[in-house]
Amino acid sequence: SYELTQPPSVSVSPGQTASITCSGDKLGDKYACWYQQKPGQSPVLIIYQDTKRPSGIPERFSGSNSGNTATLTISGTQAMDEADYYCQAWDGIIVVFGGGTKLTVL
Amino acid sequence: EVQLVESGGGLVQPGGSLRLSCAASGFTFSNYWMHWVRQAPGKGLVWVSRINSDGSVTTYADSVKGRFTISRDNAKNTLYLQMNSLRAEDTAVYYCARARDVYSGFDYWGQGNLVTVSS
């Protein structure tokens, strides 16, 4: 079965750039999405089709996808961005999530 | 305003059954594929099942195939997940989610509904 691998945790200082990676075999040939989930809340879609932001998502969130790696980049990270982040892709008709990355802003 | 409101969760014994419901409002429910995603306590998101807009096509994760059934009633704007032969490892918060497009992710999620399988 297809697997997506994320680092368990990433730390960033306020105002700096955070990068969260998601690795999978030939992931660049598929569409990737990213979700943000804060404690006790439902996930929120922040990036879809590799690079697109839904309305209402701040411009500091951006995405890329090439080769075997999709990357979520948060520019000018704010304290409110501290959350779990999940990548997601499709393996044919099956939906696959990465294991999640806890972003700490300190 | 788009809303997905889940119900039907709770405590069930191993081997038991439960049906989750997801009531949709604020959009034309019959136009969208819908999914179920679950999250075990302290763990990550895991996709469970999906159904196309008219209910004629369904897909399941291997872990639930043969035990869970997804369905929908477009007249009632409601999505269902019938869960049979429940196991301890099915314990999780279950979310219903709307597919934005075929490969565009899930743009709206329900509030989540806890299912606990325990004796």
Side-chain angles (χ1 to χ4, degrees):
Chain A
S1 61
Y2 193 77
E3 293 186 358
L4 295 174
T5 300
Q6 298 180 234
S9 63
V10 168
S11 297
V12 64
S13 300
Q16 299 303 302
T17 296
S19 294
I20 299 174
T21 59
C22 174
S23 299
D25 184 48
K26 298 180 181 178
L27 180 56
D29 292 342
K30 311 175 190 295
Y31 276 132
C33 299
W34 290 92
Y35 302 88
Q36 176 192 70
Q37 186 180 34
K38 296 181 178 180
Q41 297 184 17
S42 302
V44 174
L45 179 67
I46 56 174
I47 296 290
Y48 68 98
Q49 288 184 355
D50 298 338
T51 62
K52 299 177 181 178
R53 277 179 291 105
S55 61
I57 301 302
E59 291 184 8
R60 64 179 181 275
F61 291 93
S62 63
S64 64
N65 187 15
S66 179
N68 294 321
T69 304
T71 303
L72 172 69
T73 301
I74 310 173
S75 304
T77 307
Q78 301 181 8
M80 69 172 66
D81 299 331
E82 186 162 287
D84 293 328
Y85 290 85
Y86 295 90
C87 61
Q88 179 248 304
W90 289 261
D91 179 29
I93 61 173
I94 301 298
V95 174
V96 182
F97 286 96
T101 298
K102 181 176 181 59
L103 177 68
T104 301
V105 182
L106 39 70
Chain B
E1 178 192 6
V2 171
Q3 284 196 319
L4 298 172
V5 180
E6 295 137 359
S7 60
L11 176 64
V12 61
Q13 292 187 338
S17 298
L18 212 55
R19 188 178 82 157
L20 302 182
S21 299
C22 171
S25 61
F27 67 102
T28 305
F29 180 68
S30 59
N31 286 351
Y32 290 85
W33 289 64
M34 297 294 296
H35 296 245
W36 289 97
V37 176
R38 68 185 182 184
Q39 186 170 34
K43 302 296 185 182
L45 302 172
V46 176
W47 176 78
V48 173
S49 181
R50 71 172 189 174
I51 188 168
N52 72 335
S53 56
D54 67 7
S56 61
V57 176
T58 58
T59 314
Y60 299 91
D62 286 344
S63 59
V64 307
K65 201 174 296 182
R67 300 188 298 122
F68 289 13
T69 302
I70 189 172
S71 62
R72 65 192 296 162
D73 185 335
N74 285 345
K76 294 182 177 180
N77 291 336
T78 303
L79 174 72
Y80 302 101
L81 185 67
Q82 177 67 44
M83 303 183 293
N84 298 331
S85 302
L86 282 161
R87 307 166 179 166
E89 55 263 37
D90 295 319
T91 294
V93 172
Y94 285 74
Y95 295 99
C96 60
R98 187 183 86 166
R100 189 180 188 283
D101 204 336
V102 179
Y103 292 115
S104 298
F106 307 136
D107 58 350
Y108 286 95
W109 296 64
Q111 83 281 7
N113 205 344
L114 178 61
V115 172
T116 303
V117 184
S118 175
S119 55

